[in-house]
């Protein structure tokens, strides 16, 4: 859920934009599903529509990714952030919530109206009106959220060069989004990076070609969110793909849950990504604490499992 201060600021900006916001939501929705998302919100009304329609899900996905990073690196305390293709700065809010140590915030965005809204939402940040390729670091944490559709591998490598410690890529949880994540991850690993999450390894994804790695986060819909989308349901599920990479190797999870856990009487069935590939695991009640952990685990969580038995 959006922090109350951010939610209130969004409500105010949407109200100031007037009644044209609802008309922009359908167009923005179609643009988001297509390949031109980065230029989908260039007017004041379109930015207000983005804030009402997409900001909650963007925040939820970024926050979910950052929680996984915190699990792998509980003592990490970044001090500088570079948010590339930042939009109005929603992912930066999620980063600040995860790491209050962040004190130097640089947000790069090409759309002037996005920056105008962002200055209202995040007045303490330094805003740079520029294309992604003009982003400059170094920053401890570089965030590239829902913009890989407009990037090419050399640009992804350019962003890695601006990274002092860790880079985070987030994309929609679609096959196309997943493949953009794979390309960015492969480029950074080839340039010397190490995977933090979600993969428990640095080798290519072991999923078959007709499958894709993605995760989901459930978020509550505010009245504004429901009104913008024209729905009554009080929640939605945002699907996303992501990759987090660092300059130095960090402790990896032994396994990542890549499907919804199936809780049964006396056992839990898991599908996991592990160093040895994709595994189907059954965690029985006999395993005590591990069984309790598996029962409480969610799709996308890291879990420490003993090595899978050899076939």
């Amino acid at each position: 859920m959006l922090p109350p201060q951010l939610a209130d600021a969004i409500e105010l900006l949407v109200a100031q934009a007037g009644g044209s916001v609802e008309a922009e939501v359908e167009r923005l929705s179609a643009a988001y599903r297509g390949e031109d998302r980065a230029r989908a919100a260039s007017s004041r009304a379109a930015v207000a529509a983005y804030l009402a329609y997409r900001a909650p899900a963007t925040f939820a996905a970024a926050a979910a990714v950052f929680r996984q990073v915190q699990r792998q690196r509980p003592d990490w305390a970044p001090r500088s952030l570079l948010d590339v293709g930042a939009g109005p700065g929603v992912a930066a809010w999620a980063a600040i919530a995860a790491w209050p140590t962040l004190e130097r915030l640089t947000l790069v965005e090409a759309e002037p109206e996005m920056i105008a809204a962002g200055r209202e939402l995040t007045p303490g940040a330094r805003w740079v009106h520029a294309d992604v390729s003009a982003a400059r670091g170094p920053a401890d944490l570089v965030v590239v959220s829902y913009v890989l559709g407009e990037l090419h591998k050399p640009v992804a490598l350019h962003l890695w060069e601006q990274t002092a410690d860790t880079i985070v890529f987030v994309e929609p949880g679609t096959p196309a989004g997943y493949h953009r994540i794979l390309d960015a991850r492969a480029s950074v690993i080839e340039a010397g990076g190490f995977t933090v999450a979600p993969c428990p390894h640095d080798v290519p994804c072991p999923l078959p070609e007709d499958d894709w790695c993605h995760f989901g986060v459930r978020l509550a819909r505010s009245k504004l969110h429901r009104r913008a989308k024209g729905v009554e349901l009080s929640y939605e599920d945002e699907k996303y793909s992501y990759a987090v990479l660092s300059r130095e190797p960090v402790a990896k999870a032994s396994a990542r849950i890549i499907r919804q856990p199936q809780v049964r009487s006396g056992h839990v069935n898991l599908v996991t990504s592990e160093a040895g590939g994709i595994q189907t695991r059954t965690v029985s009640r006999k395993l005590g604490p591990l069984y309790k952990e598996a029962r409480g685990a969610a799709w996308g969580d890291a879990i420490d499992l003993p090595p899978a038995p050899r076939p």
Side-chain angles (χ1 to χ4, degrees):
M1 180 177 291
L2 294 174
Q5 184 181 356
L6 178 58
D8 290 346
I10 286 175
E11 288 264 7
L12 179 60
L13 286 172
V14 172
Q16 291 172 344
S20 58
V21 171
E22 284 76 7
E24 287 286 343
V25 168
E26 186 174 350
R27 186 193 64 79
L28 181 62
S29 176
Y32 172 76
R33 292 192 297 268
E35 295 299 317
D36 196 27
R37 300 189 314 279
R39 299 293 178 260
S42 57
S43 69
R44 185 180 183 188
V47 170
Y50 171 88
L51 289 170
Y53 163 70
R54 277 301 306 165
T58 299
F59 180 92
V65 171
F66 297 153
R67 283 194 294 272
Q68 296 304 325
V69 178
Q70 288 176 301
R71 169 162 180 161
Q72 298 307 121
R73 306 182 69 184
D75 298 325
W76 188 50
R79 300 182 69 85
S80 55
L81 167 72
L82 175 63
D83 187 352
V84 180
V90 175
W93 268 83
I96 294 166
W99 294 288
T101 53
L102 287 169
E103 57 186 14
R104 296 188 302 277
L105 312 176
T106 303
L107 285 75
V108 179
E109 172 56 41
E111 294 293 346
E113 290 295 341
M114 282 287 198
I115 294 176
R119 291 189 192 279
E120 295 291 327
L121 298 175
T122 315
R126 183 173 75 93
W127 285 86
V128 178
H129 178 205
D131 188 75
V132 168
S133 61
R136 293 292 181 270
D140 296 336
L141 173 63
V142 176
V143 176
V144 191
S145 174
Y146 291 93
V147 294
L148 279 178
E150 64 170 312
L151 304 184
H152 303 288
K153 282 186 178 182
V155 180
L157 288 175
H158 164 71
L159 297 176
W160 174 240
E161 291 169 358
Q162 313 315 309
T163 305
D165 193 300
T166 296
I167 190 166
V168 176
F169 298 102
V170 186
E171 279 290 290
T174 62
Y178 160 69
H179 284 290
R180 289 192 288 268
I181 290 290
L182 283 188
D183 286 344
R185 176 179 179 267
S187 296
V188 172
I189 288 174
E190 185 177 356
F194 300 90
T195 304
V196 177
C199 318
H201 53 71
D202 291 317
V203 300
C205 180
L207 283 171
E209 290 186 3
D210 60 349
D211 201 352
W212 73 99
C213 183
H214 65 290
F215 306 96
V217 59
R218 176 158 293 184
L219 61 141
R221 286 172 171 158
S222 66
K223 290 181 180 179
L224 173 64
H225 196 183
R226 294 198 300 271
R227 186 169 71 249
K229 302 194 81 166
V231 297
E232 295 296 329
L233 194 64
S234 63
Y235 66 88
E236 69 178 58
D237 294 315
E238 171 72 1
K239 303 295 174 53
Y240 60 93
S241 294
Y242 76 99
V244 183
L245 302 108
S246 62
R247 288 282 176 188
E248 300 294 334
V250 303
K252 292 181 173 60
S254 64
R256 177 78 56 183
I257 300 170
I258 62 170
R259 298 288 186 270
Q260 286 283 9
Q262 302 298 309
V263 179
R264 300 290 184 260
S265 178
H267 66 277
V268 181
N269 294 326
L270 302 175
V271 178
T272 59
S273 175
E274 304 180 28
I278 306 302
Q279 305 289 342
T280 300
R281 299 288 211 122
T282 298
V283 181
S284 74
R285 191 190 303 273
K286 296 178 181 179
L287 294 176
L290 182 56
Y291 169 72
K292 183 178 180 180
E293 181 183 1
R295 279 186 62 87
W299 176 24
D301 282 353
I303 186 169
D304 291 323
L305 296 172
R310 292 180 178 276

